[in-house]
Amino acid sequence: MTATRTDRRERLDAATAHLEPPFAVIDLAALRANAADMTRRAAGKPIRLASKSVRSRAVIERVLRLDGFRGVLAFTLPEAIWLARQGTSADIVVAYPTANRTALAELAADAGLAAAVTVMIDSPAHLDLIEKVAAGLADAHPVRVAIDLDTGYLGLGGLLRAGARRSPVRTPEQAAALAADAAGRSRIRLAGLMAYEAQIAGVGDNPPGQPVMARAIRYMQRRSAAELVTRRAAVVAAVRAVADLEFVNGGGTGSVAATAAEAAVTEIGAGSGLYHPTLFDAYRAFTGRPAALFALPVVRRPGPGVVTALCGGYIASGPAAKSRLPRPCLPAGLRLDRDEGAGEVQTPLLGAAADALRIGDRVWLRHAKAGEMCERFAELHLIEGDKVVATVPTYRGEGQTFG
Ligand SMILES: Cc1ncc(COP(=O)(O)O)c(C=O)c1O
């Protein structure tokens, strides 16, 4: 392990010797290996690429050229419109509902966009909003929509809840009623259904140093998966009785194989597994290779066993917890300071490895989540072996910050 890490550090340092940190890199061999493992686990079902977990148009386009990936799962409608107009994909599903009237008007007014982009709905209010915007246009094209299903797990008679608080649509009856409502509106076209099981796909079942928590998570995930396989199939059948569905999207990086095995699911939505950030180290079902890293310069040495690096406070979203901090990765044997964490401008790094570091050396860290790292950097340096083979902009680098 240490020898491998040393080789890796030498390789990354050699490839980027001409760059001044802070900067971010993508190790292309690791990215390709992760992509191949994800498609292997998807077992023939296409993976719709979750763009929030990549946040670089150039990288999204590279991944879409790989076998097994098809279409984009975007996170906002302005983003989807931008990607469609740039020619990144002609098959984009926005995974979260929009209340952006301007973007909806832009979508409905353009035949090409309206054919390429599907927006998420989970209530008649979403349909009303779309219709109202379309009614204000001289020439509106039908807006493609997909129904978002609540996949959350309810245990102990509803006392225990696991899952993201998103859609209110839970039962086959509720889904069929919303589908019938959508199908009856001339300005709407029901195209698909999405059922993302966050409590399985996005929660690692092997949290480090927490054996009791690990057992509780595994229990919840077993129960939730068993409940969902039946309910998801029933919901899909009920909606298909009302309207043809082009796709049923489910899953995420943490559940690719299990979700792909469900007959009712036609495609997987995933992206984080490509970069393999630290939160995805905590799964038993797969092992990825860290593909996204950032380098910080060592700028001072406060004393024995500690160096201080510039910046680094790139905290991941979600519940504020240690797991959301970036993690020092190379050289091996560095850790964050418990009191200071990862700092706004300076990050102390503790450990025996610090004593071998000099001012101007670089340290390598991993983000806890995937695409969020890109909100801190304008560029990604793409590394092949010990060379930077391309430097591409992130969304931020293209002046695009969608949320
Ligand atoms: C709707 C939806 N699908 C899929 C995913 C999985 O994405 P990833 O594989 O990047 O974790 C997410 C992540 O939050 C999501 O919200």
Side-chain angles (χ1 to χ4, degrees), residues 124-381:
H126 290 135
L127 298 171
D128 293 345
L129 181 71
I130 295 168
E131 283 210 310
K132 201 163 160 207
V133 169
L137 299 172
D139 186 18
H141 302 276
V143 171
R144 292 164 57 86
V145 302
I147 295 177
D148 192 2
L149 182 71
D150 174 27
T151 63
Y153 173 64
L154 301 175
L156 301 177
L159 284 177
L160 189 80
R161 188 181 192 290
R165 290 187 186 277
R166 294 188 183 174
S167 172
V169 179
R170 192 170 169 85
T171 65
E173 296 73 29
Q174 289 168 337
L178 186 57
D181 187 350
R185 303 193 192 213
S186 61
R187 295 191 167 95
I188 308 275
R189 204 172 106 45
L190 180 59
L193 188 110
M194 189 186 77
Y196 168 60
E197 58 277 56
Q199 71 281 9
I200 301 173
V203 178
D205 63 353
N206 205 16
Q210 299 181 67
V212 178
M213 176 62 92
R215 273 208 297 281
I217 291 172
R218 288 171 204 171
Y219 173 80
M220 175 276 290
Q221 290 184 339
R222 264 198 315 276
R223 299 290 297 253
S224 176
E227 182 270 334
L228 189 57
V229 70
T230 316
R231 183 159 59 89
R232 185 153 41 196
V235 166
V236 170
V239 173
R240 283 198 190 279
V242 174
D244 288 340
L245 291 178
E246 291 170 28
F247 65 88
V248 176
N249 183 287
T253 290
S255 75
V256 175
T259 308
E262 286 186 29
V265 173
T266 65
E267 61 174 42
I268 303 298
S272 299
L274 296 163
Y275 289 175
H276 196 78
T278 63
L279 280 171
F280 286 85
D281 288 345
Y283 290 78
R284 290 181 303 165
F286 62 96
T287 315
R289 285 169 57 179
L293 297 99
F294 59 92
L296 304 178
V298 171
V299 287
R300 53 177 150 195
R301 297 170 48 84
V306 54
V307 290
T308 303
L310 182 72
C311 295
Y314 314 146
I315 313 300
S317 59
K322 197 173 156 217
S323 62
R324 306 282 149 168
L325 290 166
R327 193 184 301 160
C329 169
L330 300 169
L334 291 175
R335 64 181 189 281
L336 298 178
D337 178 76
R338 200 190 292 257
D339 294 328
E340 292 193 48
E344 182 181 4
V345 183
Q346 301 197 88
T347 297
L349 296 163
L350 315 181
D355 290 333
L357 289 168
R358 299 285 164 262
I359 287 168
D361 284 351
R362 56 195 52 178
V363 289
W364 295 87
L365 292 89
R366 294 167 64 203
H367 203 277
K369 292 186 86 171
E372 287 183 24
M373 182 189 83
C374 295
E375 298 297 341
R376 293 292 187 162
F377 297 95
E379 295 174 333
L380 295 172
H381 302 284

